[in-house]
Amino acid sequence: MIRTVITGITGRMGSTLLRLSRDAEDLRVVGATERPGSASVGLDAGLAARIGALEVQVSDDLGRALDAAKADVVIDFTSAEVSVAHAKACAERGVAFVCGSTGFSPEAAQALAESAKQVPIVAAPNMSVGVNLVIRVAAELARVLGPGFDVEVLEAHHRMKKDAPSGTALRLAEVLASALGRTQDDLTFARHGQIGARPANEIGVQTLRGGDVVGEHTVYFFGEGERIELTHRATSRDQFGLGALRAARWVVGRPPGLYDMADVLGFQRTS
Ligand SMILES: NC(=O)C1=CN([C@@H]2O[C@H](COP(=O)(O)OP(=O)(O)OC[C@H]3O[C@@H](n4cnc5c(N)ncnc54)[C@H](OP(=O)(O)O)[C@@H]3O)[C@@H](O)[C@H]2O)C=CC1
Ligand SMILES: O=C(O)C1=N[C@H](C(=O)O)C[C@H](O)C1
C-alpha cells in the first residue's frame, strides 16, 4: 500500500486526486492540506472536497501533516511558489514528491531541482499520457518536416487559470525549438501592431482563456500548400489525475533526482 498526502484538496486537481485515490486499491490517503486560513482546515478532507468522508483531517501545513502520518509520497497541484515550499518539506523528511504545478520562474525551477538532490521528484506540466505522446510526436514532426514549415503553438484553458502560456504549451515550444535547433530567443509570445514578415526561425506561442475549457493544445506546422495540425483536447481532469497517481506509484523508492513524465512512461526524453 502506498501512503499519499494530497495538497490543495479543495482545488480543481486536488479534489480530482482525492476522488481517484479513494477508488485506487493500492493507495491510501493519509494526509491532506489546504491554504492556511482556508475554511476547510480542520474538516474531514473528503467532506471538504465533496467526495464523502475519508477520515483524514485537512491540515494547513504540509510539514506538520507529514510529521503526523508516515507518508511515502506527496502529490501537489497548487502553484509554483507553494510547490517549491512543499518540495522542501518533503526533502527534509525523505518523502517523494509529485509536482503538477505550472508557472515556474527560473529561480523556482532551480529551487525544485535543489530539493530533488535529496528526494525523488516527478515534475511535469501535464500528466496526461495522451499529451506526453503528443509532445513526442510534435518533436518528431518538427524534425522530419524541418525548416520549411512555420511552427505555432496555440493553447486554450478555463477562465480561472492563473499562468500563461500554459506549462504544456511552454514545454511543447521548448521541445519543438530543440528539435529544430532553435533557442528560447526564437519563441514569440504575442503579436500586435506593425510586426513585419514572420522571422523564419520564430516559434509562436498563443494563449486563449475562457469558460470551463479543461485544456487544449494545438501545434500548427504551416507549409506551402499544406498544413498539419496536431491537437490534444482534455475533456476531463481525470487523465491528469490518473497520470499523477501513476507517477506517484513509480517514484516511490527511486533514487533522488528530478524526473519527468517521460521517465514514468518509459519514453526517451525529447529535450
Ligand atoms: N501537470 C498537470 O497535468 C496539470 C497541472 N495543473 C496545474 O496545477 C496547478 C493547480 O491547478 P488547479 O487545481 O486548477 O488550481 P486550483 O486553484 O483549483 O487549486 C489549487 C489549490 O491549492 C490551494 N493552495 C494554495 N496555497 C496552498 C498551500 N499553501 N497549501 C495547500 N494548498 C494551497 C488553493 O487554495 P486557494 O484556492 O485558497 O488558493 C487551491 O485549493 C496549476 O499550476 C495548474 O496549471 C493543472 C492541471 C493539470
Ligand atoms: O491549469 C490547468 O487547468 C492546466 N494546466 C496545465 C498547464 O499549464 O499546462 C495542464 C493542463 O492543460 C491543465
Side-chain angles (χ1 to χ4, degrees):
M1 186 68 71
I2 295 175
R3 294 164 64 91
T4 67
V5 171
I6 298 176
T7 58
I9 50 94
T10 64
R12 282 173 287 274
M13 281 307 299
S15 56
T16 302
L17 286 160
L18 214 52
R19 174 175 50 78
L20 294 172
S21 303
R22 179 198 59 192
D23 298 340
E25 285 180 359
D26 59 337
L27 303 176
R28 178 154 166 232
V29 180
V30 296
T33 76
E34 250 306 332
R35 177 197 285 283
S38 160
S40 58
V41 173
L43 302 181
D44 180 281
L47 296 181
R50 298 171 197 277
I51 62 159
L54 276 182
E55 293 178 13
V56 173
Q57 204 182 42
V58 181
S59 167
D60 63 0
D61 183 80
L62 179 61
R64 252 185 285 120
L66 290 174
D67 293 340
K70 198 179 146 13
D72 299 304
V73 58
V74 169
I75 309 176
D76 181 283
F77 286 66
T78 51
S79 68
E81 300 70 34
V82 173
S83 291
V84 165
H86 284 172
K88 191 160 180 280
C90 287
E92 287 164 358
R93 292 165 178 83
V95 177
F97 191 63
V98 173
C99 176
S101 298
T102 56
F104 280 80
S105 63
E107 295 74 24
Q110 182 54 41
L112 192 72
E114 283 302 315
S115 290
K117 290 179 181 164
Q118 287 168 263
V119 288
I121 294 180
V122 177
N126 200 309
M127 303 236 172
S128 127
V129 175
V131 160
N132 284 281
L133 273 168
V134 164
I135 293 171
R136 275 177 71 79
V137 171
E140 185 61 13
L141 277 171
R143 263 190 293 273
V144 175
L145 294 172
F149 284 72
D150 295 328
V151 182
E152 298 276 320
V153 179
L154 176 67
E155 61 100 337
H157 282 85
H158 53 95
R159 63 166 74 93
M160 302 305 289
K161 184 163 175 62
K162 291 180 181 144
D163 56 315
S166 70
T168 309
L170 278 176
R171 173 62 58 84
L172 275 164
E174 285 160 12
V175 163
L176 289 161
S178 162
L180 290 163
R182 298 179 195 164
T183 69
Q184 287 280 339
D185 293 342
D186 295 314
L187 308 187
T188 292
F189 293 102
R191 297 187 179 96
H192 180 72
Q194 298 298 307
I195 59 167
R198 185 184 195 282
N201 278 352
E202 193 167 75
I203 296 175
V205 184
Q206 310 299 333
T207 295
L208 304 179
R209 289 286 177 269
D212 62 355
V213 180
V214 174
E216 301 191 1
H217 295 88
T218 297
V219 182
Y220 294 87
F221 297 90
F222 294 103
E224 294 290 334
E226 62 178 342
R227 101 171 163 239
I228 297 170
E229 299 176 10
L230 183 61
T231 296
H232 181 275
R233 286 197 180 90
T235 53
S236 150
R237 292 186 172 82
D238 281 15
Q239 291 308 322
F240 308 137
L242 289 169
L245 297 190
R246 188 164 168 171
R249 292 182 180 101
W250 181 89
V251 78
V252 172
R254 300 265 160 196
L258 190 55
Y259 302 99
D260 183 63
M261 274 310 275
D263 299 306
V264 175
L265 300 174
F267 296 166
Q268 272 198 325
R269 291 199 188 209
T270 41
S271 71

